[in-house]
Amino acid sequence: MELQSAFDGLLHSDQPLSGLDDLIWQSLRDGADSSDHPWNLGAFSTIDSAHPQFPRPECRKVVLRHADQQRRTIDFYTDVRSDKIRQLNSGHSPALACWLFYEATTKIQLRLDGMAEVIDGEQADEVWKQTAADSRASYLSIDPPGERVNDPLPPSTADRFVTQEVSERGRKNFRIVRTTVRHADWLYLRRQGHVRSMIDYDASGAIDAFWVVP
Ligand SMILES: Cc1cc2nc3c(=O)[nH]c(=O)nc-3n(C[C@H](O)[C@H](O)[C@H](O)COP(=O)(O)O)c2cc1C
């Protein structure tokens, strides 16, 4: 309820619109820092253009790992062999993606869209070093995630339970996906009347925040 009461407090202030952007980004930072926060998990959407005549939207839950208000970026981590990476690396350039945050007790939905990039190299090295052994399991499958298995039983995941030393082999699969947000759509299903706002972010850092009819 902390998230909800923070926005309630803002809406009771004289200039709620001027504080909305800061509160959204503070809440994203809090979401990245705590697995208990309503915005720790988001849905991340892409377009699969493998068959250009039949582009297909795809959506999946991911963990919000970092939010940078100054750069207007949010990050999650993933396996480079996953379908979402293929989708980001093909089709429209730069890759376009959308995030959605919602947790039922708060009644507050946030949609963010912008350009997504896949990051390897030193930045990924730094994060990988801090990644605990149990989290590294996500990057350790010998066979690529999403690969079809022609067997009556689900495949074994024993290849992921390894020592810290062996877990280093997961590094080659590990990537940061960073979305630079260009547009936010915030909706609060408030008992005494719904409230909705949009914020446009341009590349110079300027923002345009306005109310819209909910
Ligand atoms: C609660 C939850 C958290 C998840 N977090 C991540 C994540 O941070 N990164 C990720 O790549 N997949 C995560 N997943 C798995 C994805 O939702 C998805 O199933 C997987 O990445 C394959 O997606 P793709 O085939 O579209 O690439 C999570 C799933 C759940 C249910």
Side-chain angles (χ1 to χ4, degrees), residues 41 58 60-63 76-79 82-84:
L41 282 178
E58 198 156 46
R60 74 287 286 162
K61 282 273 175 163
V62 294
V63 178
F76 71 94
Y77 305 151
T78 198
D79 189 312
S82 63
D83 273 352
K84 67 183 86 55

Side-chain angles (χ1 to χ4, degrees), residues 37-117:
H37 191 277
W39 290 357
N40 180 251
L41 282 178
F44 179 78
S45 298
T46 48
I47 301 283
D48 189 339
S49 311
H51 305 287
Q53 290 197 312
F54 303 101
R56 200 178 123 248
E58 198 156 46
C59 186
R60 74 287 286 162
K61 282 273 175 163
V62 294
V63 178
L64 174 64
R65 299 293 185 170
H66 189 69
D68 183 328
Q69 180 169 1
Q70 211 153 16
R71 294 193 168 86
R72 303 295 180 190
T73 60
I74 53 175
D75 296 356
F76 71 94
Y77 305 151
T78 198
D79 189 312
V80 70
R81 302 167 295 170
S82 63
D83 273 352
K84 67 183 86 55
I85 296 288
R86 176 183 55 72
Q87 292 160 12
L88 293 172
N89 285 339
S90 56
H92 190 277
S93 179
L96 303 176
C98 177
W99 279 80
L100 180 140
F101 297 94
Y102 182 74
E103 194 276 319
T105 61
T106 66
K107 308 270 183 267
I108 295 170
Q109 170 179 271
L110 178 67
R111 288 192 292 179
L112 303 172
D113 69 82
M115 292 94 66
E117 57 183 319

